[in-house]
Amino acid sequence: MQSNQIKVFFRISRATLSLALLSALCCLLLIIRAVQTEQLRGLFLLWNLFLAWVPLFFALVARRLSSSVLVTKSRQLLILVNLGLWLLFFPNAPYLITDLIHLGEYERHILWFDTVGFFIAALAGVCTGLYSLQVTHQVLNQFINSVLAWFIIAASIVLSGFGLYLGRFVRFNSWDLFTNPFYLFRKSFQELQNPLAIQTTLVFTLVVAVLYVSMLILIPNRDANLKNAA
């Protein structure tokens, strides 16, 4: 009885476990660099990687809430709140790709090692984001038809591309929606006239969309029925 409780308590999906291992590898590489060089440069990737996990957390909570046999109105509201928070933080996952631009600022004699570390960080962020996108897609399919679910997913990818631009070039953070919402919206509408904003949004929309569809094609959805697993 006790062993069964432990087993249930530690229940975790294969996807989440693989993402945790990938993130652990990223942390290990960054720590090794810090120890060997006695510099803290690059450790900001740990924070960015943490932010990439935030949308997955909200997506998993939404899936757990939707797994109930009887989904009440209050539970539906909680699901919507978590999906909204997922969308707010989702751009933080592909954002790690843009951190590769910092490689030009690092010492050449260990550039090969930094390249590996930055690549693993970007890979971990992208994979975590794609999985959170898939979990969100699963939740949407439970409440609406598949066509509308795909439309919402596509719109979310477009918004994430624009959100990534706001984070990288305008230097907004996800929590600015709560701390300074009026300036955020005003500045966002102004940036829609910026060609760089359009280009960045289109490029990352294309990249994330193709990666997501490729993931659905290549990887069997083994965790679709593990609604209570993380």
Side-chain angles (χ1 to χ4, degrees), residues 44 49 70 91 93 133 146 159 171 208 214:
F44 68 89
L49 184 58
L70 178 62
L133 192 63
S146 60
L159 290 174
R171 308 307 296 168
V208 174
S214 299

Side-chain angles (χ1 to χ4, degrees), residues 30 62 95 119 121 124 141 146 152-153 155 168 172-173 200 218-220 230:
L30 293 174
Y95 179 89
F119 169 75
N141 281 329
S146 60
I152 294 176
I153 289 298
R168 169 52 63 189
F172 276 125
N173 296 306
T200 304
L218 294 173
I219 303 177

Side-chain angles (χ1 to χ4, degrees), residues 155-219:
S156 300
I157 294 174
V158 175
L159 290 174
S160 72
F162 184 61
L164 188 148
Y165 164 79
L166 293 176
R168 169 52 63 189
F169 296 101
V170 190
R171 308 307 296 168
F172 276 125
N173 296 306
S174 299
W175 46 85
D176 285 325
L177 180 63
F178 305 103
T179 60
N180 201 356
F182 297 107
Y183 176 70
L184 172 63
F185 283 114
R186 187 177 78 249
K187 186 64 176 176
S188 297
F189 281 115
Q190 292 176 354
E191 290 298 323
L192 288 174
Q193 303 175 9
N194 189 335
L196 180 60
I198 304 300
Q199 295 167 8
T200 304
T201 300
L202 290 177
V203 168
F204 278 95
T205 295
L206 178 63
V207 169
V208 174
V210 172
L211 287 175
Y212 180 59
V213 173
S214 299
M215 182 189 73
L216 295 180
I217 294 173
L218 294 173
I219 303 177

Side-chain angles (χ1 to χ4, degrees), residues 75-120:
R75 187 175 285 258
Q76 288 180 350
L77 179 60
L78 286 175
I79 293 173
L80 287 175
V81 169
N82 278 278
L83 291 181
L85 291 171
W86 165 81
L87 179 60
L88 177 63
F89 286 94
F90 179 60
N92 292 308
Y95 179 89
L96 277 151
I97 298 176
T98 67
D99 284 327
L100 292 169
I101 66 175
H102 293 296
L103 283 172
E105 307 167 4
Y106 285 70
E107 298 88 347
R108 283 190 166 275
H109 68 283
I110 57 170
L111 186 58
W112 67 272
F113 188 83
D114 289 330
T115 301
V116 174
F118 273 71
F119 169 75
I120 295 298

